[in-house]
Amino acid sequence: MSITAAEVNKLRKQTGAGMMDCKKALQEAEGDMEKAIEILRLKGQKVAAKRSDREASEGAILSGVSSDGKSGVVLSLNCETDFVAKNEDFIGVAQTLLDLALTEGCTSKEGILELNYPGSDLSVADKIVEETGKIGERIEIGDLQSASGDSVASYIHPGNRLATVVGFSGNVNDSVGRDVAMQAAAMAPVAVDQESIPAYLIEKEKSIGKDLAIQEGKPADLAEKIAMGRLNKWYKEVTLVNQPFIKDNKQTVSQYVSAECPGAEVSSFSRVALG
């Protein structure tokens, strides 16, 4: 059956698949557009099954803030190669997913997979399968995290391999918000403050400190005290509000925020990075 260039182009616009894939699908479907779409989707499912054991360690990480400025999302769309990660269409899909999460108030990757992909009759999960078939690499949502507050700021590091969102109680201006979001990106804190550090991390760090002291020849009772001293130093290194501010290490992040925006405090943050 003869397939026209107009038919191929129409299918390509609807699915985003390559020209040759569209032509083959239309030929197999004997010109039936809906059947050709199903053929391409089936191809995507087959490719996804074949690539399921591949490692999707590359990708694009984006972050953004909701229209009311009170919530933010960091989303990682992963793939196999850096070449695909830098592709404009791939980044466009990641941006669409981020916008969807922000609009729908989605705070988990499990939740977004169930939503309808904008401009399509597919779920997000099915859209990712479709993109896998189109690109030929394993694609998945690697992570989706959120932050909320009276005001929220976001930061995407150049290259789309690292992004953050930070929530504040009280209002902060754009400059302060960006500074703290950049701080969270650069210094990789594990928690907002000491009280929000997971108990298992504290016990692990305390045990490491005690073992080091004993290896240095300190008696057990003194090793315990040394471990606590090291733990207090560690708190300052890994809690966002207590870290030295990267633009002025004479003050902490908390002191910087308080000085620039009286009454405001960091209340939450999320950080997602590749590797």
Side-chain angles (χ1 to χ4, degrees), residues 29-256:
E30 298 182 341
D32 187 318
M33 192 66 65
E34 293 302 317
K35 187 175 179 181
I37 291 172
E38 287 303 314
I39 289 170
L40 289 173
R41 287 178 180 172
L42 181 60
K43 178 194 174 188
Q45 292 170 1
K46 290 179 177 178
V47 173
K50 289 180 180 178
R51 310 298 290 190
S52 62
D53 61 342
R54 298 295 186 100
E55 184 177 358
S57 57
E58 293 294 334
I61 302 178
L62 304 177
S63 63
V65 179
S66 61
S67 58
D68 64 3
K70 297 185 181 299
S71 63
V73 168
V74 186
L75 180 140
S76 172
L77 184 64
N78 290 18
C79 57
E80 294 178 35
T81 66
D82 183 55
F83 176 77
V84 167
K86 293 178 179 178
N87 180 276
E88 288 185 8
D89 289 341
F90 180 81
I91 295 173
V93 172
Q95 185 65 56
T96 298
L97 291 173
L98 175 67
D99 293 342
L100 178 64
L102 289 168
T103 301
E104 298 296 328
C106 191
T107 59
S108 71
K109 65 179 182 179
E110 292 79 16
I112 197 171
L113 288 171
E114 299 174 355
L115 299 176
N116 288 331
Y117 188 82
S120 166
D121 61 350
L122 300 176
S123 69
V124 169
D126 288 340
K127 179 62 177 179
I128 288 175
V129 170
E130 183 180 82
E131 289 296 309
T132 296
K134 180 168 54 173
I135 294 173
E137 287 194 8
R138 179 180 178 181
I139 298 173
E140 63 182 11
I141 296 177
D143 204 352
L144 190 158
Q145 296 187 30
S146 62
S148 60
D150 297 321
S151 53
V152 176
S154 66
Y155 171 74
I156 304 172
H157 193 68
N160 299 331
R161 298 179 64 86
L162 165 64
T164 59
V165 284
V166 180
F168 300 85
S169 60
N171 293 317
V172 299
N173 58 49
D174 291 344
S175 177
V176 170
R178 180 174 172 79
D179 279 346
V180 179
M182 287 180 65
Q183 172 94 23
M187 302 308 293
V190 301
V192 171
D193 52 30
Q194 182 176 331
E195 288 70 29
S196 54
I197 299 176
Y200 79 92
L201 285 181
I202 294 175
E203 287 304 313
K204 179 181 178 181
E205 196 65 23
K206 183 179 177 181
S207 177
I208 291 172
K210 187 174 180 179
D211 287 345
L212 285 173
I214 290 174
Q215 290 175 25
E216 292 166 356
K218 304 295 191 294
D221 57 340
L222 185 57
E224 184 77 24
K225 292 181 180 179
I226 292 173
M228 290 306 299
R230 286 174 171 165
L231 192 61
N232 288 328
K233 181 181 178 182
W234 179 73
Y235 287 147
K236 295 178 181 179
E237 295 172 350
V238 301
T239 55
L240 180 55
V241 297
N242 294 312
Q243 286 179 338
F245 179 44
I246 52 177
K247 290 186 175 181
D248 177 10
N249 61 17
K250 293 181 180 179
Q251 60 181 336
T252 65
V253 170
S254 178
Q255 290 169 339
Y256 166 68

Side-chain angles (χ1 to χ4, degrees), residues 19-31:
M19 296 292 284
M20 289 306 299
D21 287 335
C22 289
K23 184 176 180 179
K24 289 178 181 178
L26 280 166
Q27 288 174 336
E28 185 178 339
E30 298 182 341

